[in-house]
Amino acid sequence: MAEDAAPAPAEEKKPYNPDPNALPPKGESSGGCCVKSDPHAKAEPHKCPTSIDRGYTDCLALLLLIACWVITTGVGVSAMQGTLLSKCGADGDQACEGNARALLAPTDYKGRMCGVDSSVSNKPYGYLVSKYGDIVCVNECPSKTATPDFTESAYTNLKHYCMQSEVSSSYKTASYASTKGQDYLTLLGTSTDGSTYLEGPCMFELGSFELGYYCGFNPDSKLPVVPGFPLSNQSITSLITGDGKSATSYLADFISDLVVTKDAIFGFGFAIALMVAFVYSYLMTLGLVDCVVWGCILVVFALFFGLGGYMYYTYQQWDAANCDAPDDDGSTDCTGLNVAHSDNEIDGMMYVSYFCFGVSALWVAFIICICSKIRLACAFVKVAGTAVRDMPIVLFFPVVQIAGLLLFLLPWMYYMAFVQAQGLFLCENTCGGDSDYCNGMKDGKQFDCSLSEVGSTYPSNETKYTWEWADASIGSDQDLASSWMMFSYFWTSQFIVAMGQLVMAMTFVLWYFAGYDADQEEQVAVQTAAAEGEKIEPKKPVGCCYKLICGDPDNYRGNGLFFKGLHLVLYHVGTAAAGSLVIAIIQFIRYMVAKIQAQCNKSLTGTAKTIANIVLCCIQCCLYCLEKCMKFINKHAYIITAVKGKSFCAAACDSFWLIVRNIRLIAALTMVQEFSIIIGKMLIVMATGTLSYMYMQSVTNAAGLTMADQTNSLIGPTLFVMILAYFMADMFLNTYSMAMDVMMHCYLSDKEANSPMWATNEKATHLAPLAKVIGENGPKDDPKKDTENPSAE
């Protein structure tokens, strides 16, 4: 019999370790060959969005944006210097120049540009001479109404404000004592009874003011007293409104009320409106959001269901009153005779009622489908309100965006004016002598002239010149330049919007994960020390006064996060440029389609015009929807960039698939956002207006007078307060809405990366409303499992 093999040495039994996450004893490794590191070494904490290694993203897009600005500046400077277009004139053989004055100049009844064309070069202002909009050029706007000199003829009194070529020579030569010399009615185009007025070639010299290069009539200016003139002593305002009280009086009363109540207007319109907005966000955090959302849901259901019920009732009434046809048995059991409702109208009312019932049923099914997500979206609203209140400085970043847009628009508008004002002066005759040139503008420039008309059409010693615009048709050089300027505007404006979204996203991401890094480091330190048999002394808690002034050093959630977010956003300026480029391209295509549509309306007629408009309108609608979708995706892409540090393309793809994976949550949050914003705007505006009215009505000054006693009416000041409050509410709620979206993304990132989630950590007190919903929706403990495994205690 073969000899038995030597028994293997008995394997040393290891003690039972009930904790599967416990570290193995020293000298052993976990994870086999896949993990070579010592588990007892200092472990690196999980990197959350606040501590990931960020790099500069989409640098090429940023360089392209800078190049766009450089090209825009070059186009503008070229337009100012007259080197933008290579050819001008009918033959394209003359140099172009930019003349912004011609762009703003009024055009008189003959088509001459006041202050530009030679015949009216010394008359830069346009004066209205008839109610049909006819204009004559004048050298200055009269400051007061002139009284006619009745020792002179009517034409002599009115000649400076007449369309000269429209006045008969018999009026020009008539003496003051003749019939035509006193015929103001014909020159002014006014009937004896005043039924028609101011339709003639002339106008009185009325008091006016300069409005650009136009003369605007003073609303209180009165027509002079002229015998036989039916409108004598009537003001311009009364001719327009038919009211005896002038517009200046109304305007003066309104301005007077604003001056008296200016402190209350600005105090309530800005400060109190902002305070009301904060109160609204606090009430939403306390639970008002649940009442608002579910109340709006019930209102929508009641609206459609009630409308359907009313229409169905109306259908039954119409059907019962319809006597057009007898029943099958030949009887007519109707309640009325000859009721004017056709069968089509009755059937239409029935189908519309069914449609309303169907919409209400679909609404109920939709709400049931996303019910759990609505509760989670309400939690995002509550948490977002806390974030906005913790960092109120983010509310004022839109002011910085507006300032940046204005800083861009100032040179852009100046450049655009010169791009649009390209053209040249055409000389119509020579200056005399044998020269083939004349100095039209008397500034040293020379213009080609034709000698054929000298001495015939024009006197030989008089210079005539007119301004001719350059070719601006679609596809021309000027059209290409102006199109580039518009593209530059679209890209820059969207870039400013994108930067604002990135800054707010980064700030709210930092707020959500405030304290996460310190907690992770503490957990790693505790585990490592416990494995090595060491003891870590707890941190000395900071005092309440320190927290109040400087914030909790391990869980800081104040305005300082905004400045930290600004620093981190510098890594992703290129991402904002890339995202804004996509929106700018879509907007530019819409702009070009609009230009093509305008050209079609000018050049086409009949059926071709109708078909072209239908097709182009459909294209515009599709592009509009595409723009809205891309703006939605871009906003979420910027948030993903803030959370994960990705470039635009990667973030946009993640954004799209995130929307697909969480479509119910996105739908619920969008609905909750809309309800919260609409109700919020209404409440903030109405509450601020009511408080301001009560204040102005009741609070007295040192003399015992209220603002109501010192004003003509409180309606104007109250409306002004409500307008300012609306802008403040819009600014606040847009930021609030962005915070809601960021909280959703942070929640999803937290859910994927951490177990248990950071939101459920006892140190994340700022996320308590979200933790409550997570706990309610999480898996419940199984009591049978605890009884079957008592050793797990």
Side-chain angles (χ1 to χ4, degrees):
M1 186 174 181
E3 217 175 288
D4 293 339
E11 185 177 358
E12 184 180 356
K13 188 176 182 180
K14 296 181 180 180
Y16 169 70
N17 186 355
D19 185 2
N21 296 320
L23 294 173
K26 276 192 173 184
E28 296 185 13
S29 63
S30 63
C33 62
C34 296
V35 179
K36 300 297 184 181
S37 59
D38 184 1
H40 296 278
K42 295 286 185 180
E44 288 292 331
H46 170 75
K47 289 188 176 182
C48 77
T50 61
S51 57
I52 60 176
D53 296 327
R54 297 182 182 271
Y56 292 100
T57 56
D58 300 296
C59 298
L60 178 60
L62 180 58
L63 293 175
L64 290 176
L65 179 59
I66 296 174
C68 174
W69 291 337
V70 172
I71 295 173
T72 300
T73 303
V75 169
V77 173
S78 298
M80 294 168 59
Q81 295 178 346
T83 58
L84 177 64
L85 305 182
S86 58
K87 297 180 180 180
C88 269
D91 300 326
D93 57 351
Q94 300 183 51
C96 297
E97 62 177 290
N99 187 359
R101 175 68 182 82
L103 193 65
L104 303 175
T107 302
D108 73 354
Y109 69 102
K110 281 188 171 183
R112 300 171 298 185
M113 285 183 283
C114 302
V116 177
D117 293 340
S118 61
S119 56
V120 288
S121 61
N122 60 339
K123 299 178 179 180
Y125 297 99
Y127 187 90
L128 188 67
V129 296
S130 76
K131 66 180 184 181
Y132 296 120
D134 296 310
I135 288 176
V136 297
C137 299
V138 296
N139 56 357
E140 64 179 357
C141 297
S143 59
K144 62 181 180 178
T145 301
T147 302
D149 182 1
F150 294 110
T151 62
E152 299 288 347
S153 67
Y155 173 75
T156 303
N157 285 309
L158 304 175
K159 65 180 180 180
H160 296 296
Y161 306 96
C162 286
M163 295 183 284
Q164 299 293 337
S165 62
E166 303 297 320
V167 180
S168 172
S169 59
S170 60
Y171 282 91
K172 296 180 180 179
T173 58
S175 63
Y176 76 94
S178 65
T179 302
K180 291 188 176 181
Q182 297 297 321
D183 190 3
Y184 285 89
L185 294 178
T186 301
L187 292 177
L188 296 170
T190 304
S191 61
T192 55
D193 59 357
S195 58
T196 59
Y197 58 91
L198 304 183
E199 297 180 358
C202 297
M203 172 59 79
F204 288 117
E205 181 180 341
L206 299 176
S208 59
F209 56 91
E210 295 178 7
L211 188 62
Y213 288 104
Y214 292 84
C215 297
F217 292 132
N218 188 329
D220 278 345
S221 294
K222 293 183 179 181
L223 299 175
V225 177
V226 176
F229 185 65
L231 304 179
S232 295
N233 208 35
Q234 287 196 27
S235 67
I236 297 296
T237 302
S238 64
L239 290 177
I240 299 173
T241 64
D243 190 355
K245 189 173 181 180
S246 68
T248 302
S249 300
Y250 286 115
L251 183 61
D253 292 345
F254 178 71
I255 294 176
S256 174
D257 293 343
L258 294 184
V259 171
V260 171
T261 59
K262 62 181 185 301
D263 295 336
I265 288 175
F266 289 105
F268 279 87
F270 291 108
I272 302 300
L274 191 59
M275 291 177 60
V276 172
F278 277 113
V279 171
Y280 173 73
S281 70
Y282 180 71
L283 294 176
M284 295 289 276
T285 302
L286 292 181
L288 179 63
V289 61
D290 299 304
C291 299
V292 168
V293 171
W294 290 108
C296 290
I297 290 173
L298 292 176
V299 167
V300 172
F301 171 77
L303 177 64
F304 281 103
F305 190 81
L307 185 61
Y310 174 76
M311 289 184 171
Y312 188 79
Y313 172 78
T314 304
Y315 148 72
Q316 289 182 322
Q317 294 295 313
W318 288 3
D319 186 57
N322 184 15
C323 297
D324 292 340
D327 294 338
D328 294 337
D329 57 359
S331 63
T332 56
D333 55 352
C334 60
T335 60
L337 296 175
N338 301 323
V339 180
H341 292 296
S342 65
D343 292 339
N344 290 334
E345 290 176 332
I346 295 173
D347 291 342
M349 183 62 68
M350 178 185 66
Y351 293 137
V352 172
S353 67
Y354 290 162
F355 173 78
C356 292
F357 286 139
V359 171
S360 62
L362 290 175
W363 178 252
V364 172
F366 173 71
I367 296 302
I368 292 174
C369 180
I370 64 172
C371 181
S372 61
K373 303 302 180 183
I374 292 176
R375 297 177 65 250
L376 188 57
C378 291
F380 293 149
V381 175
K382 296 176 183 178
V383 173
T386 305
V388 173
R389 292 193 303 276
D390 283 349
M391 301 177 296
I393 193 173
V394 297
L395 297 173
F396 301 99
F397 189 73
V399 178
V400 178
Q401 290 178 274
I402 294 173
L405 182 60
L406 292 177
L407 189 63
F408 166 77
L409 284 178
L410 287 177
W412 183 88
M413 292 174 65
Y414 191 73
Y415 295 154
M416 190 64 167
F418 277 94
V419 169
Q420 294 293 330
Q422 293 296 299
L424 77 162
F425 285 102
L426 293 181
C427 188
E428 298 179 357
N429 75 309
T430 186
C431 299
D434 297 330
S435 174
D436 290 340
Y437 300 95
C438 72
N439 184 8
M441 290 298 291
K442 302 177 182 178
D443 57 1
K445 295 182 180 179
Q446 291 183 329
F447 300 90
D448 291 335
C449 296
S450 173
L451 299 177
S452 61
E453 296 181 332
V454 176
S456 57
T457 305
Y458 303 113
S460 58
N461 293 326
E462 182 180 350
T463 301
K464 295 288 184 180
Y465 52 88
T466 58
W467 176 260
E468 180 178 285
W469 297 106
D471 179 23
S473 59
I474 294 179
S476 64
D477 291 344
Q478 183 178 352
D479 177 66
L480 295 177
S482 61
S483 297
W484 174 263
M485 296 295 291
M486 290 302 302
F487 175 76
S488 173
Y489 166 76
F490 292 142
W491 194 357
T492 305
S493 61
Q494 289 303 315
F495 172 73
I496 293 172
V497 172
M499 284 299 298
Q501 291 177 335
L502 258 177
V503 168
M504 286 190 284
M506 191 70 72
T507 302
F508 290 126
V509 165
L510 295 176
W511 182 89
Y512 182 97
F513 289 100
Y516 178 85
D517 290 337
D519 178 73
Q520 292 296 304
E521 292 175 358
E522 181 179 350
Q523 289 185 25
V524 171
V526 169
Q527 292 179 5
T528 305
E532 296 176 352
E534 300 175 356
K535 183 179 180 182
I536 297 181
E537 295 294 332
K539 291 184 179 180
K540 184 178 180 180
V542 297
C544 297
C545 294
Y546 184 91
K547 285 185 178 182
L548 181 63
I549 299 173
C550 303
D552 190 343
D554 294 330
N555 197 14
Y556 179 71
R557 300 191 300 270
N559 288 325
L561 296 179
F562 170 76
F563 298 101
K564 184 177 181 180
L566 282 177
H567 171 72
L568 294 177
V569 163
L570 295 179
Y571 288 101
H572 307 296
V573 177
T575 299
S580 57
L581 175 60
V582 175
I583 305 299
I585 291 174
I586 298 174
Q587 290 181 336
F588 181 71
I589 295 174
R590 291 186 62 195
Y591 166 75
M592 296 304 297
V593 171
K595 290 180 66 174
I596 295 173
Q597 189 172 5
Q599 186 64 31
C600 289
N601 289 331
K602 291 181 180 179
S603 58
L604 299 180
T605 58
T607 305
K609 179 179 179 180
T610 303
I611 295 175
N613 275 316
I614 293 174
V615 172
L616 292 172
C617 284
C618 291
I619 294 174
Q620 282 283 24
C621 290
C622 294
L623 290 172
Y624 174 81
C625 295
L626 178 62
E627 180 184 346
K628 289 297 181 182
C629 292
M630 286 307 304
K631 283 183 176 179
F632 186 80
I633 292 175
N634 276 17
K635 180 175 70 171
H636 289 277
Y638 299 143
I639 299 174
I640 288 177
T641 296
V643 174
K644 300 180 179 180
K646 292 188 174 183
S647 62
F648 173 74
C649 291
C653 291
D654 285 0
S655 172
F656 176 79
W657 292 115
L658 178 139
I659 294 172
V660 172
R661 292 195 309 269
N662 301 276
I663 189 65
R664 290 197 303 147
L665 180 58
I666 296 289
L669 181 58
T670 302
M671 183 186 68
V672 170
Q673 280 178 324
E674 292 300 322
F675 287 154
S676 302
I677 290 175
I678 293 173
I679 299 299
K681 286 182 179 179
M682 293 172 58
L683 289 178
I684 293 170
V685 171
M686 290 190 296
T688 306
T690 301
L691 290 174
S692 66
Y693 184 85
M694 294 172 60
Y695 174 84
M696 291 184 288
Q697 185 74 29
S698 58
V699 177
T700 59
N701 58 12
L705 298 175
T706 64
M707 291 185 180
D709 298 329
Q710 304 173 64
T711 57
N712 299 284
S713 173
L714 291 179
I715 295 177
T718 303
L719 290 176
F720 210 85
V721 168
M722 295 176 72
I723 292 172
L724 294 178
Y726 176 82
F727 287 109
M728 293 300 296
D730 185 66
M731 182 177 68
F732 180 90
L733 293 173
N734 283 339
T735 305
Y736 197 6
S737 175
M738 186 68 182
M740 299 176 200
D741 288 322
V742 175
M743 293 304 112
M744 182 197 69
H745 278 272
C746 291
Y747 162 80
L748 295 174
S749 175
D750 189 9
K751 184 179 179 180
E752 293 174 358
N754 302 314
S755 181
M757 294 176 61
W758 164 243
T760 60
N761 193 302
E762 62 181 6
K763 295 183 180 180
T765 56
H766 57 301
L767 305 176
L770 186 56
K772 180 180 178 181
V773 176
I774 294 173
E776 293 174 353
N777 294 339
K780 306 298 182 183
D781 294 333
D782 188 358
K784 294 182 180 180
K785 185 176 180 180
D786 295 337
T787 56
E788 292 174 357
N789 188 14
S791 62
E793 293 181 358

